[in-house]
Amino acid sequence: MAKHRIAWLPGDGIGMDVLNAAKIVLDALGFDAEYVPGDVGWELWCKEGNPLPDRTIEMLRKTDCCLFGAITSKPRDEAARELAPELRDKGFVYFSPIVRLRQLFNLHTNMRPCKAFKGNPLNLRDDIDIVVFRENTEGLYSGIEFHPVPADIMRLFAEHEPKARRFIDVPLQDIAVTVRLFTRNACRSIVTQAFEYAKKHNRPNVTVVEKPNVLRETGGLLVNEARKIARDYPGIELWETNIDAMCMWLVKNPQIYSVLCAGNMFGDIISDLSAQLVGGLGFASSANIGDDYALFEPTHGSAPKYVGMNKVNPMAALLSAKLMLEYLKEDEMAQVLENAVGRVIAEGKVRTYDMGGSASTTDVADEVARFCR
Ligand code: IPM
Ligand code: MG
């Protein structure tokens, strides 16, 4: 029997290409695993009206963790138009399977390293080494949304919050509401994860990215909990920065930042921004971690225009596999993999199109694998 059982969800578009690349490298490392394939993604939505079938969820429950490729996400109405004709108008509503997986398995911590590898021509600077900790299950992603807003909810808003009264005469079908819900537990958890990481890896500061001057309740809760938790970590500075200013500072002085910590939506934004500082989404790996399950995915999307071309940069998927190895306590393999990635980037002989080269996805995987044997 293999040592590890890995759920294998390539998903949409180039997901298969990049997961195959990861497999080439994992095999070269001698990673002892059984891979269990599962259905997820756009095709499932169109054919079955459910992008994340129950059979896939059941399968995941029987594995140690999941390697995930990429997913196509479209807004609700656009999704409804692509549904198989016999499924239309039957009440199927599209939701993002990756967001659902994070919530279903309570993968509360999304960790996204953004490190400038030496010699990457796409680095904004070569001294950037940022790790984003993004709360992964609530905030604006809680899924509590209304359009039109039910009359009793609007009435309650006005009753409890005078500022809601100026909307009371707006027709309900002309109001859309998305609830930004933060729990103290999730705030404490994401901040604690960020500080624990900083402590373990000797990082000097943690920056909490919020907007408490305007989002006083949600932003205020996160920042206040961060201040309390920071007291338990003398020697690690807590920096507080507003999301808008953070976008500016990350472009201006990215090298001074180390660990970033944010709620779900702001974490989504700063993780793309941070990724671009070190080569773009082709290098952006991520770990979605919960108390008893984890899912590893490149941060990029399904890149439909490159489907079947074996063309995209697999580095993000390879680095996600590295995060998976760490989660499974295969630390030595994780280190060998990261070193191999670093070496291939530095040598610069095998590069995909985004790095100015003409190598294929598999060429890059093979080259990384060569240094993993
Ligand atoms: C990400 C992506 C997802 C998100 C999308 C695909 C739903 O942007 O993982 O950052 O918003 O979380
Ligand atoms: Mg994103």
Side-chain angles (χ1 to χ4, degrees):
M1 214 173 86
K3 188 167 171 201
H4 305 287
R5 249 175 97 80
I6 311 297
W8 179 261
L9 300 190
D12 298 314
I14 48 119
M16 188 60 97
D17 286 0
V18 298
L19 280 206
N20 283 338
K23 176 90 171 20
I24 290 174
V25 172
L26 289 166
D27 286 348
L29 286 164
F31 179 60
D32 181 16
E34 178 194 352
Y35 298 89
V36 190
D39 289 332
V40 68
W42 195 250
E43 216 177 288
L44 282 298
W45 160 252
C46 298
K47 284 201 297 219
E48 300 182 18
N50 184 357
L52 179 63
D54 290 346
R55 59 181 183 276
T56 304
I57 297 167
E58 288 315 308
M59 182 277 280
L60 292 183
R61 291 195 198 286
K62 294 184 205 124
T63 57
D64 301 339
C65 63
C66 174
L67 255 185
F68 191 93
I71 211 80
T72 300
S73 259
K74 300 193 186 179
R76 193 186 52 189
D77 295 348
E78 220 176 296
R81 284 196 291 275
E82 294 192 32
L83 205 51
E86 67 275 16
L87 296 177
R88 278 181 215 155
D89 306 315
K90 295 237 161 74
F92 293 108
V93 179
Y94 182 77
F95 54 85
S96 159
I98 184 67
V99 172
R100 180 142 178 255
L101 280 168
R102 290 168 184 164
Q103 294 176 346
L104 206 58
F105 287 84
N106 191 24
L107 308 176
H108 42 70
T109 301
N110 194 332
M111 184 233 198
R112 299 183 152 175
C114 299
K115 168 173 156 174
F117 282 94
K118 207 165 143 256
N120 185 347
L122 303 173
N123 288 340
L124 186 75
R125 310 173 44 120
D126 289 333
D127 53 357
I128 299 169
D129 187 2
I130 290 170
V131 181
V132 178
F133 281 82
R134 165 188 180 189
E135 198 291 319
N136 215 21
T137 57
E138 49 185 55
L140 280 169
Y141 284 64
S142 298
I144 308 168
E145 302 198 281
F146 306 98
H147 183 217
V149 185
D152 49 346
I153 289 186
M154 222 39 223
R155 217 176 307 116
L156 276 175
F157 279 165
E159 207 176 287
H160 291 274
E161 176 51 81
K163 290 194 199 75
R165 286 185 201 146
R166 74 191 168 96
F167 300 106
I168 211 73
D169 294 326
V170 180
L172 295 168
Q173 69 273 18
D174 293 339
I175 308 180
V177 169
T178 298
V179 176
R180 188 182 205 239
L181 187 150
F182 280 22
T183 63
R184 192 188 307 277
N185 265 346
C187 291
R188 293 188 65 84
S189 164
I190 197 65
V191 173
T192 304
Q193 297 291 334
F195 271 95
E196 280 296 314
Y197 182 90
K199 187 173 158 189
K200 185 165 173 209
H201 298 274
N202 287 318
R203 286 176 173 257
N205 52 62
V206 172
T207 306
V208 171
V209 185
E210 247 307 324
K211 185 88 185 181
N213 53 341
V214 179
L215 307 173
R216 291 172 305 173
E217 302 310 335
T218 44
L221 185 65
L222 180 58
V223 170
N224 282 329
E225 292 305 319
R227 287 181 191 166
K228 287 190 229 161
I229 288 166
R231 289 190 212 125
D232 297 334
Y233 297 87
I236 303 171
E237 279 183 45
L238 171 67
W239 295 354
E240 297 168 16
T241 308
N242 286 343
I243 175 69
D244 50 344
M246 192 70 212
C247 293
M248 176 195 68
W249 287 117
L250 273 177
V251 174
K252 193 173 167 163
N253 274 337
Q255 73 286 0
I256 68 171
Y257 293 98
S258 183
V259 177
L260 309 183
C261 176
N264 212 338
M265 184 81 252
F266 293 165
D268 183 41
I269 293 168
I270 52 169
S271 59
D272 272 23
L273 175 43
S274 303
Q276 192 55 44
L277 304 172
V278 296
L281 290 175
F283 296 85
S285 58
S286 78
N288 299 260
I289 297 182
D291 293 337
D292 38 41
Y293 200 71
L295 179 153
F296 302 85
E297 48 155 353
T299 305
H300 59 64
S302 59
K305 70 177 179 186
Y306 295 123
V307 175
M309 293 168 76
N310 192 25
K311 183 173 166 135
V312 297
N313 193 339
M315 290 303 187
L318 304 188
L319 293 167
S320 301
K322 180 232 158 183
L323 296 174
M324 177 185 81
L325 291 171
E326 280 176 345
Y327 175 78
L328 295 170
K329 305 216 163 25
E330 300 283 7
D331 290 315
E332 210 181 299
M333 285 186 199
Q335 196 55 58
V336 173
L337 171 43
E338 178 157 341
N339 293 349
V341 163
R343 194 156 158 196
V344 172
I345 293 173
E347 289 188 353
K349 286 187 282 205
V350 183
R351 287 182 165 168
T352 41
Y353 76 95
D354 54 321
M355 297 176 79
S358 58
S360 70
T361 308
T362 339
D363 292 337
V364 173
D366 287 338
E367 183 71 353
V368 174
R370 208 155 67 80
F371 297 126
C372 287
R373 286 198 180 93

